[in-house]
Amino acid sequence: MNRYTPSPEEKSYLETYDIGLFPRPSVAADMAVFSILGMDGQEENYRKDPRKSLKLLLIRRGSHPYKDCWALPGGFCRPGESVLETARRELLEETGVTDAYLNPFSIFSEPGRDPRGWIVSHAFLALIDGGRYAVRGGTDAWEARWFCISFEKRLLEKEIRDTSARIICACDLCLTDEEGKAPAIKAVIREQKDFWNHHETVQYDIVEDGGLAFDHAKIILCACLALRREAGDTGRIVFDLMPDRFTLTGLQRAYETIQGKSLLTANFRRKIAPFVTETEEILEGVGHRPARLFRRNLETFYGEE
Amino acid sequence: MNRYTPSPEEKSYLETYDIGLFPRPSVAADMAVFSILGMDGQEENYRKDPRKSLKLLLIRRGSHPYKDCWALPGGFCRPGESVLETARRELLEETGVTDAYLNPFSIFSEPGRDPRGWIVSHAFLALIDGGRYAVRGGTDAWEARWFCISFEKRLLEKEIRDTSARIICACDLCLTDEEGKAPAIKAVIREQKDFWNHHETVQYDIVEDGGLAFDHAKIILCACLALRREAGDTGRIVFDLMPDRFTLTGLQRAYETIQGKSLLTANFRRKIAPFVTETEEILEGVGHRPARLFRRNLETFYGEE
DNA sequence: ACAAAAGTGTTAAACTTACACCCATGC
DNA sequence: GCATGGGTGTAAGTTTAACACTTTTGT
């Protein structure tokens, strides 16, 4: 809503104002689309549930620059749309996804990040129920594929004094295509935290891009960190990766995958209990006791406010 | 770091690529600069500590558009700088502040938000120790002033069903100049949360802009919400509002101000204890028992990683 | 003396952690 | 029967919330 009514003086100012006189960047939205999907190539065992993994959607660029490199889906903002609308449109165009958790988590705007020129990218975290969307395979123009994603931090340097601190880590990012149709992508990003003058700064630099286009290795790592940070201990966004009906074990595996550690079942269930509601449905046909399906309990999600 | 070496084919593509063929927005950074400062106009009492308040820095626009309206400090990105660098530069130019917590919290890019044309704004949360910086008074070009800031949410509508929910609130934003040189600014923003199709969307709309320029009423409210969210229960960013040496009561007041509720002293101290270190200094000259000064304990801030 | 704030101790309730245990199913 | 995951109980340890209380200063 815009309630602005300019004065006559201001009107004439605006009439002669030429925004084109000032240099402007191109503006883009890039999406880190995550889902939790089953992994291929597992031995068949009627008892065991198939293992699932956190997956990231990448597309192989069909055009310059970085032709044939894997990259995050994304595209340029058009006049008349907000950046969020750009993200939604691109997500729909490139993946067919209409509903997703979609949240901007960072801006990437260092000069030189795109060889075409000055381009500011808005990075979005997109969480979808992977089961609902079939990825479009390799058309001529481009190819989309889910990659298993994992990362690990290695401490390189840690120096804490009374009033200043510096911590440097190397973050190893690993993306693998389970179907084996694309070689594994291994990237290394350097994370440097400095505390100085009462404030902290954090900086990420690509050490090895692993063949990923642009500065996307860095964006992907930051997306993983943002996902883990936002998911927290019982953060609600993990639900956005699940279908509307899910088993508690499935939800627990999602938390474990994102946090990179395992949880005790009994404790997890107690903690999550207020946020879920039992349904009548039961998941049968597995080689063990069938699991009850649950759904979100919106009452507790929105209870306080 | 950019390790990119284009192929000959790609090189020729880049040579003929004209980024100017596509429409581009202007890109700006706007800063919500917060600090905690004493309020004016309090009765003199040698015993009582002067009350402090959360304050926001606004500047009165000296030029079109929205001439003479109060607005957030900010400015346009220049070629060769990142958006963060823009924010740092503008903060220095407009307030003289060299060190601050500075973090982008949202993007504002709805078409029509600026009468000059297509302008995408990156909103930054800036936290400074207000005591260290004297605000430049009213020069001819523009005038900067600290406003006491507070807001309140009023529930307007709440409808929770099994698989969908809608919550609408009115947020009353109040900015007052304690010195009385500017009239109080009262703005109203409507917050609408919708849950539908397993995902949530949130939207903010200005109902009354209170005379604030552009969509800054909305940006200011979102900044307050971001500050409260990031400060959390014992979030570290509250320290960024404090000087390097501070009293525990001062720190407690900061938490109380941001969270909008009072805390029990004994409990607060126990919770915050690991994050602070006692110094030898003592704050004397007050009409009651003098307080010990503390500083951040960086060991616990950076202990885990 | 005393008002104001600095700072500590005590208790009950709530939550977390770890582990042990039983249940239901398909083959 | 039995492997596998579904699901529950319980006791120890830790954290939180509430409140009462003592200490130290300047006038």
Side-chain angles (χ1 to χ4, degrees), chain A residues 298 302, chain B residues 155-161 164-169 190-196:
Chain A
L298 292 179
Y302 296 109
Chain B
L155 185 64
L156 294 186
E157 190 185 321
K158 185 168 174 174
E159 196 184 308
I160 300 182
R161 305 200 205 164
S164 71
R166 163 172 289 186
I167 294 124
I168 301 174
C169 292
R190 179 187 141 104
E191 178 194 60
Q192 177 166 340
K193 286 191 191 178
D194 279 295
F195 187 92
W196 188 68

Side-chain angles (χ1 to χ4, degrees), chain B residues 147-207:
Chain B
F147 285 76
C148 287
I149 184 164
S150 63
F151 75 96
E152 212 175 315
K153 267 193 193 183
R154 280 182 290 123
L155 185 64
L156 294 186
E157 190 185 321
K158 185 168 174 174
E159 196 184 308
I160 300 182
R161 305 200 205 164
D162 275 4
T163 58
S164 71
R166 163 172 289 186
I167 294 124
I168 301 174
C169 292
C171 305
D172 299 313
L173 189 66
C174 181
L175 295 150
T176 56
D177 171 24
E178 288 293 318
E179 291 179 54
K181 286 177 188 160
I185 296 168
K186 292 194 176 294
V188 183
I189 294 96
R190 179 187 141 104
E191 178 194 60
Q192 177 166 340
K193 286 191 191 178
D194 279 295
F195 187 92
W196 188 68
N197 253 356
H198 325 140
H199 299 290
E200 181 187 286
T201 56
V202 191
Q203 194 185 323
Y204 294 92
D205 293 298
I206 296 172
V207 177

Side-chain angles (χ1 to χ4, degrees), chain B residues 14-57:
Chain B
L14 289 170
E15 271 158 20
T16 56
Y17 183 88
D18 181 7
I19 202 165
L21 291 177
F22 304 99
R24 288 157 298 156
S26 294
V27 169
D30 288 311
M31 283 83 63
V33 188
F34 288 97
S35 75
I36 288 179
L37 290 168
M39 294 161 70
D40 294 306
Q42 300 180 62
E43 81 279 26
E44 269 306 320
N45 181 335
Y46 81 98
R47 290 193 195 284
K48 270 198 167 165
D49 287 352
R51 301 251 61 188
K52 296 198 162 189
S53 159
L54 185 66
K55 299 226 176 184
L56 179 76
L57 187 71

